[in-house]
Amino acid sequence: MSESDIRAAVEQELPGVRADLERLVRIPGIAFEGFDHSHVERSAEAVAELLRGCDLDVKVVRRGGQPAVIGRKPAPAGAPTVLLYAHHDVQPVGDLSLWESDPFEPVERDGRLYGRGAADDKAGVMAHVAALRAFGDQLPVGVVLFIEGEEEYGSDSLEALLAEFRDELASDVIVIADSGNWDVGVPALTTSLRGVINCFVEVRTLRHAVHSGMFGGAVPDALTALSRLLATLHDDAGDVAVEGMVGRAGAAVDYPEDRFRAEAGVVDGVSLVGTGRITDRIWTKPALAVLGIDAPATGEAANALVPWAKAKLNVRLAPGDDPKRAYQALRTHLEQHAPWGAQVTVTFEHDGAPCVIDASGPMFDAARAAFREAWDGTAPVDIGIGGSIPFIATFQELFPRAAILVTGVEDPHAQAHGPNESLHLGEFARVCLAEALLLAKVARVGVPA
């Protein structure tokens, strides 16, 4: 198929692709504990049916976690095989009052499709489907689709699945459609991602609550102790102050502050934290945030000194850091900076490795050319991502010869993981076209030597 043929085929398929995307968005497939996992099962079956419709050999698999879907179509003689990754599970919706419409009833407003998972990552699933539909029975490469079912919950069973089905998943190129573009109208390839550590820190100062008037002034309460401990995690400029966590400069592009503040929703008068270029701060340096605190709610708080308090911490690790070593550094810092001799307990939840991708070679050249054509001459930008996709490091380890292309459908206004998540429909059309063009160009490159 020529480029014009591919463009016409993708355009013809887009209405059906959007309709199927909306059907997927209506399934509340949340893999977190406490949610009805029958919806994740429904989501996996819906994806499996979509892949069967593309004439793939399909199976739903699981190894202790939520269901993933594997679809395969052999390569034509001498052609390379491409692994296409996305995930069908979604984040919880959070506070429903913050949504302008039902998160599981897709709605179009101002050229964007709103709904949980509309961008992250059901649109990634449908971008793969769109490319396959565009080629029909003229697919120029072999494909293996791996659509995960618990990425948002930490991919706990992913390594077991990859190990068991390693031979079936072996490929020359891996396309991971779970990132984003630099801006509306500017495509991107993601070449580095930060790692992640989640843990809990609990502070105890008393065996039980005591009267704040009788004992306050001499006895420290745990919530104040926890607050002082958390304050030691950053220096006055807002940089992470945990000794031993690494960071580096060197991001290839900068992020204008006014654009960054607007896209992040920073309130007027609030200063940014950290030092160096904004892209260094969010891509190549560590970050540390307090995600939540267990303590009495203000409406129920008695005039009593709090005996214990607990916080959940989230660390984003710079590319090049090691999660196990960084966790020990954080744990040591928390234990050594406990105020007033408070008892400190640190509990590990999960971690994930950062990664750096060497985005050079013919497959990356093919990807850049496909993006440039899909965006009508706009060259893609190599970007880092402050978020984490820890399993990319696993793919690098299991398939060291494969070129890993990290792409995506999100833009800076998508609000993935937040209320009113949305997908820019014009950009989605370009992503679908870019993937189809990429498969054609990869076929012309051929199987790597």
Side-chain angles (χ1 to χ4, degrees):
M1 296 174 68
S2 67
E3 178 187 333
S4 60
D5 291 336
I6 294 172
R7 284 180 177 272
V10 171
E11 185 174 352
Q12 181 177 344
E13 295 294 342
L14 281 175
V17 167
R18 174 176 170 177
D20 286 328
L21 172 58
E22 292 184 3
R23 278 191 279 273
L24 289 182
V25 171
R26 291 188 180 98
I27 303 174
I30 301 169
F32 284 65
E33 292 181 2
F35 290 86
D36 183 353
H37 291 164
S38 68
H39 296 303
V40 188
E41 302 282 350
R42 287 176 53 213
S43 182
E45 288 299 331
V47 170
E49 188 61 31
L50 289 170
L51 301 190
R52 292 187 191 103
C54 296
D55 197 28
L56 272 63
D57 179 19
V58 179
K59 57 187 172 185
V60 177
V61 298
R62 67 193 313 154
R63 290 299 173 267
Q66 299 302 325
V69 184
I70 298 176
R72 301 179 69 241
K73 192 169 189 176
T81 296
V82 182
L83 170 63
L84 303 174
Y85 170 93
H87 63 87
H88 65 88
D89 66 307
V90 300
Q91 281 280 324
V93 299
D95 186 348
L96 278 172
S97 69
L98 299 177
W99 287 79
E100 295 180 15
S101 55
D102 184 337
F104 294 112
E105 182 53 49
V107 175
E108 181 180 348
R109 295 194 297 271
D110 299 322
R112 303 188 71 97
L113 185 68
Y114 286 81
R116 175 57 91 221
D120 184 17
D121 185 33
K122 292 179 177 180
V125 175
M126 292 311 303
H128 296 328
V129 171
L132 297 181
R133 287 179 178 176
F135 284 107
D137 59 4
Q138 300 181 64
L139 189 63
V141 295
V143 293
V144 183
L145 275 81
F146 184 84
I147 311 298
E148 192 188 354
E150 58 180 16
E151 191 275 343
E152 299 291 10
Y153 190 55
S155 300
D156 287 346
S157 65
L158 179 62
E159 285 203 32
L161 288 171
L162 292 178
E164 179 169 350
F165 298 101
R166 179 175 181 173
D167 290 344
E168 295 182 39
L169 299 173
S171 53
D172 303 295
V173 180
I174 299 173
V175 178
I176 297 176
D178 193 21
S179 186
N181 290 306
W182 177 235
D183 200 357
V184 173
V186 183
L189 282 174
T190 298
T191 60
S192 71
L193 298 99
R194 291 194 290 195
V196 64
I197 298 171
N198 273 14
C199 67
F200 301 92
V201 55
E202 182 177 324
V203 170
R204 179 173 288 276
T205 58
L206 293 159
R207 286 185 291 274
H208 52 78
V210 296
H211 194 292
S212 61
M214 299 293 291
F215 297 99
V219 174
D221 69 274
L223 192 49
T224 297
L226 175 63
S227 299
R228 291 176 67 93
L229 176 59
L230 296 178
T232 69
L233 295 171
H234 298 86
D235 62 22
D236 290 342
D239 285 315
V240 174
V242 177
E243 184 177 353
M245 285 191 181
V246 305
R248 59 186 177 88
V253 295
D254 202 5
Y255 209 150
E257 183 171 340
D258 56 348
R259 175 187 157 190
F260 178 77
R261 293 178 66 91
E263 292 173 353
V266 180
V267 176
D268 290 345
V270 174
S271 300
L272 301 183
V273 298
T275 56
R277 301 170 73 183
I278 290 175
T279 44
D280 290 337
R281 286 182 247 177
I282 63 174
W283 295 350
T284 64
K285 296 177 68 174
L288 200 158
V290 180
L291 299 184
I293 292 179
D294 290 337
T298 57
E300 304 168 359
N303 287 329
L305 303 182
V306 176
W308 66 272
K310 181 179 180 181
K312 182 174 183 177
L313 305 182
N314 171 257
V315 184
R316 299 292 173 162
L317 301 174
D321 209 345
D322 174 75
K324 306 303 182 189
R325 189 198 56 75
Y327 171 69
Q328 290 303 320
L330 175 60
R331 181 172 183 167
T332 298
H333 177 101
L334 291 167
E335 292 171 347
Q336 292 182 348
H337 287 78
W340 308 311
Q343 295 178 2
V344 172
T345 303
V346 183
T347 306
F348 175 82
E349 185 183 43
H350 66 79
D351 64 12
C355 76
V356 177
I357 297 169
D358 177 10
S360 62
M363 296 303 183
F364 292 96
D365 294 341
R368 292 186 176 95
F371 275 57
R372 190 163 47 247
E373 291 171 16
W375 269 264
D376 299 324
T378 300
V381 178
D382 284 5
I383 62 171
I385 291 293
S388 307
I389 309 179
F391 62 79
I392 293 179
T394 305
F395 276 105
Q396 288 177 315
E397 180 180 351
L398 290 177
F399 308 111
R401 294 175 57 85
I404 299 178
L405 310 175
V406 183
T407 67
V409 300
E410 296 174 29
D411 64 81
H413 307 284
Q415 295 185 204
H417 292 208
N420 303 304
E421 176 183 346
S422 68
L423 171 72
H424 190 291
L425 291 169
E427 292 297 280
F428 178 59
R430 293 183 185 275
V431 169
C432 295
L433 174 58
E435 182 157 318
L437 292 170
L438 171 62
L439 296 183
K441 293 179 185 299
V442 165
R444 288 196 285 271
V445 173
V447 178

